[in-house]
Amino acid sequence: MGEQLPEWARRIRALREARGMSQVAAAEAMRRHADRQLPASEHLERRWKAWERGDNKPRKDGYAPLIAGALGTVTAAIFPPDERPAATDLLTVTGMDTLEIVSRLQVSDLKEATMDGLRITVDKLCSEYASQPAADLIIEGRQWLRRIVEMQEQRLSFRQRRDTLELAGWLALLVGCLEYDLGDRRAAEATRQVALSLGKDVGSPGILGWAHEMRAWFALTSNDYRSVLAAADAGIAAAGNHSVAVQLVAQQAKAFARMGLQDEMATTLERGRVLLDGMPYPENTDNHFVVDPLKFDFYAMDCYRHTGNDRLARALADEVIRGATDYTGKARAPMRIAEAQITLGVTAARQGDLDEALDHGRRALSGDRKSLPSLAIASQDLADVLTHQYAGEEAAEEYLAQLRDIRRPT
């Protein structure tokens, strides 16, 4: 494809080839996503070839959404904004560091700058979920949650009380996710219930939606697929326009994949894709409770890996790893990368390359940041292939023993 191709052109070609589509078929597939009359087939084919060469970048209010639809992904995943929001610096915005914010939380007259600092701190903690060791982050999350709860005894305005309770709701969600990652399901469920209650108290669609999403996630990793569908339906009803609705739809697609209902899976993935494509690009794509466009490929990758669409699963795994790695080669989202490595391992094993499969599998288990339940359910696909195709192979048996050490929450 050439090293000088724009990233968007490389991705268009990679996804088209992964779907086994000719350029003619891909160009024609755009019509299914158009709400207007498109030019003749010959014209669309010429345009598609030009796009794959990196000529004439499609406009986001023109062909770009149709290209994304034809390739089964989100527009911003192929054509991200040219300018991304800058990271928020606590000291720059508020003039205070963490220690000063903590000290000011103790006073009875809470200033707006202190509230801003608290909001930034909660956003920062939620943004560290993907990369920080769970055992470390959970300590900090619980400390801040305790501080916010203690603030309720102070003299707060109605708005401050409501805002601090909402921040407590987001922190409860974060702590609950970390508890589940660490294998403590009972604590995670109790914390989820706290978040759900706080979401109801402050009327937050986002908190309510994520509390239901956690229930769907717990059910998915416990192989209770009917409960996944029910929890997701409840969350979608509560979430309103919050992006968590997309993740709830994705959990349903994952459940359908594991139930062997591929038509329902495909329909649900498309519903989630359309929903996410209609949402504005998020201000902070690192926040765990924000669904960014690149995450859609992560959802789809899981579904296609499980249903045996190896070509597409592998292509999406490559895109997930690329999107979760920064320009220095550092992992921005190691848990996404781990599941992508599992996917590459599964496809390699199915194609008869045990060495490559085990290499990817070992990489998936080597990181410091793990979600044990999510890694367990993803690695089950690899375990199944190794068990059926490589029974008796010493290297495969050794790796299977490693996988058995991953304990699901009880």
Side-chain angles (χ1 to χ4, degrees):
M1 286 187 277
E3 294 298 325
Q4 302 305 313
L5 272 182
E7 180 63 16
W8 56 266
R10 180 205 61 77
R11 186 164 162 76
I12 287 174
R13 180 173 175 179
L15 288 178
R16 174 185 63 78
E17 291 179 343
R19 289 185 172 274
M21 302 169 71
S22 67
Q23 290 177 326
V24 174
E28 281 300 302
M30 292 166 57
R31 297 188 190 279
R32 295 197 298 271
H33 302 275
D35 57 2
R36 63 185 187 278
Q37 186 72 27
L38 296 183
S41 298
E42 295 79 5
H43 174 83
L44 289 179
E45 182 184 353
R46 287 195 302 272
R47 296 297 295 270
W48 194 282
K49 290 179 178 178
W51 293 327
E52 289 195 8
R53 291 195 303 268
D55 302 336
N56 305 318
K57 183 178 180 180
R59 291 170 47 184
K60 293 178 185 176
D61 59 352
Y63 283 121
L66 307 185
I67 294 169
L71 297 174
T73 191
V74 181
T75 306
I78 303 179
F79 308 101
D82 295 328
E83 296 183 5
R84 313 288 181 88
T88 303
D89 180 78
L90 182 64
L91 196 59
T92 300
V93 173
T94 66
M96 296 179 286
D97 59 17
T98 300
L99 183 60
E100 187 170 359
I101 289 174
V102 172
S103 66
R104 292 197 179 192
L105 292 179
Q106 311 303 320
V107 303
S108 59
D109 185 15
L110 203 60
K111 303 297 184 183
E112 190 57 33
T114 309
M115 286 298 302
D116 287 341
L118 190 56
R119 294 185 191 101
I120 293 169
T121 298
V122 172
D123 183 70
K124 175 178 174 291
L125 291 170
C126 293
S127 300
E128 291 175 345
Y129 173 82
S131 58
Q132 294 300 311
D136 296 337
L137 186 57
I138 197 170
I139 294 172
E140 193 172 0
R142 285 170 172 164
Q143 287 173 342
W144 279 101
L145 182 57
R146 189 177 302 112
R147 289 167 185 151
I148 293 177
V149 170
E150 290 170 353
M151 287 172 59
Q152 302 308 306
E153 299 177 3
Q154 299 172 207
R155 187 174 67 248
L156 303 177
S157 69
F158 177 82
R159 179 183 172 186
Q160 287 173 337
R161 191 169 301 280
R162 191 258 176 213
D163 288 351
T164 52
L165 285 174
E166 182 172 15
L167 291 173
W170 289 114
L171 279 178
L173 289 170
L174 174 65
V175 170
C177 288
L178 291 165
E179 288 169 337
Y180 197 66
D181 287 342
L182 292 168
D184 191 346
R185 177 160 188 164
R186 291 183 181 177
E189 174 58 21
T191 309
R192 186 192 74 83
Q193 291 284 354
V194 170
L196 183 66
S197 177
L198 288 169
K200 291 177 180 177
D201 288 345
V202 300
S204 170
I207 293 174
L208 291 171
W210 278 106
H212 288 293
E213 192 279 338
M214 287 175 66
R215 185 161 69 93
W217 176 34
F218 296 172
L220 183 72
T221 53
S222 301
N223 303 319
D224 184 1
Y225 305 129
R226 294 293 178 186
S227 293
V228 175
L229 303 180
D233 281 339
I236 291 167
N241 295 325
H242 197 279
S243 65
V244 65
V246 178
Q247 184 140 327
L248 287 158
V249 172
Q251 298 290 29
Q252 290 183 320
K254 291 181 182 182
F256 283 132
R258 286 161 174 80
M259 294 166 74
L261 302 174
Q262 293 196 40
D263 289 344
E264 288 84 349
M265 178 202 81
T267 299
T268 305
L269 276 177
E270 176 63 9
R271 181 158 63 98
R273 188 197 71 78
V274 171
L275 185 61
L276 183 54
D277 221 19
M279 294 181 175
Y281 196 85
E283 291 184 7
N284 180 9
T285 57
D286 291 331
N287 189 309
H288 177 63
F289 301 112
V290 170
V291 178
D292 65 281
L294 290 177
K295 202 171 186 182
F296 185 81
D297 289 342
F298 177 68
Y299 305 144
M301 175 194 75
D302 178 276
C303 293
Y304 291 124
R305 179 194 68 241
H306 191 78
T307 55
N309 189 332
D310 291 347
R311 189 174 184 178
L312 188 50
R314 189 175 189 93
L316 290 173
D318 288 338
E319 297 299 337
V320 167
I321 292 172
R322 187 175 287 107
T325 307
D326 68 17
Y327 71 96
T328 67
K330 181 181 177 181
R332 293 175 50 250
M335 290 188 292
R336 289 193 201 180
I337 293 175
E339 292 192 40
Q341 291 288 359
I342 288 289
T343 300
L344 293 174
V346 170
T347 60
R350 286 174 179 159
Q351 293 163 10
D353 193 333
L354 178 60
D355 289 340
E356 182 184 346
L358 294 178
D359 179 57
H360 287 299
R362 293 185 186 109
R363 291 188 204 177
L365 302 183
S366 65
D368 293 330
R369 181 63 179 101
K370 295 183 181 74
S371 168
L372 297 180
S374 296
L375 191 56
I377 192 172
S379 62
Q380 185 59 49
D381 288 341
L382 182 53
D384 289 344
V385 180
L386 294 178
T387 300
H388 291 110
Q389 290 187 213
Y390 302 95
E393 292 275 357
E394 183 178 353
E397 294 297 333
E398 289 177 359
Y399 183 74
L400 287 170
Q402 282 186 271
L403 292 182
R404 284 192 287 271
D405 289 337
I406 302 174
R407 293 289 181 258
R408 299 190 184 196
T410 58

